[in-house]
Amino acid sequence: MTMHHDEFMQAAIDEARLGRQEGGIPIGSVIVHHGRIIGRGHNRRVQRGSAVLHGEMDALENAGRQPASVYRECVLYTTLSPCSMCSGAILLYGIPHVFVGENQTFLGEEELLRSRGVRVEVAQDPVCIELMRRFIAEEPRLWNEDIGE
């Protein structure tokens, strides 16, 4: 990873850890526009009783309303491979580049994103992998709920 990738993935990991500290699911995300974080978030389904607040969705929500031209110049960093819902939002807003912390514990819709022209990079970051492995072992019921199983 480059220095910027390290910095932004660390911000996503910090969000994931915050989510876990709050009693939720350790998945974090940041949205970066021209080298600056414009939105950050973490999975808040448990904390907010939400059906849709995955990490990427929370980061988008926290970025606020942006012109389409802004999203088309962003990179979305996420600690875990994006699910169908989050991938749909990435496609809807035209985010061209997604940097994924890991896809070993969950493989989302990376191929769909790639088929639609999104550049997807996967780091297989050991911190991201360990966060999810530990969580899945500790909270299998909650994890299955989060991924719709």
Side-chain angles (χ1 to χ4, degrees):
M1 287 194 284
T2 68
M3 186 174 74
H4 286 299
H5 280 319
D6 285 343
E7 171 189 343
F8 298 133
M9 184 50 67
Q10 185 59 55
I13 290 168
D14 293 346
E15 285 291 326
R17 287 182 170 141
L18 180 58
R20 189 66 185 127
Q21 289 169 4
E22 294 172 351
I25 299 164
I27 302 168
S29 183
V30 297
I31 301 169
V32 177
H33 182 254
H34 294 291
R36 185 176 67 85
I37 295 174
I38 63 168
R40 61 187 328 140
H42 52 273
N43 188 305
R44 294 180 198 251
R45 290 185 67 250
V46 173
Q47 299 91 314
R48 299 266 176 92
S50 171
V52 297
L53 274 182
H54 282 191
E56 300 90 334
M57 303 298 278
D58 192 42
L60 280 164
E61 178 72 14
N62 292 327
R65 289 180 57 199
Q66 300 290 332
S69 60
V70 169
Y71 287 118
R72 288 195 294 264
E73 297 175 338
C74 285
V75 180
L76 184 143
Y77 290 79
T78 180
T79 57
L80 186 65
S81 185
C83 73
S84 301
M85 175 178 63
C86 296
S87 294
I90 290 164
L91 293 174
L92 177 68
Y93 290 106
I95 297 172
H97 187 182
V98 177
F99 198 89
V100 177
E102 68 103 351
N103 65 7
Q104 290 182 13
T105 59
F106 177 79
L107 178 59
E109 297 294 337
E110 294 172 22
E111 287 309 311
L112 170 65
L113 292 170
R114 287 184 181 107
S115 77
R116 299 281 298 273
V118 176
R119 179 176 167 207
V120 178
E121 294 181 76
V122 182
Q124 302 303 9
D125 182 281
V127 173
C128 295
I129 294 167
E130 179 56 27
L131 275 170
M132 286 311 300
R133 283 193 177 147
R134 184 178 313 124
F135 172 75
I136 292 167
E138 292 172 356
E139 302 274 1
R141 197 177 105 256
L142 185 55
W143 170 240
N144 286 334
E145 175 189 317
D146 195 62
I147 60 173
E149 291 186 8

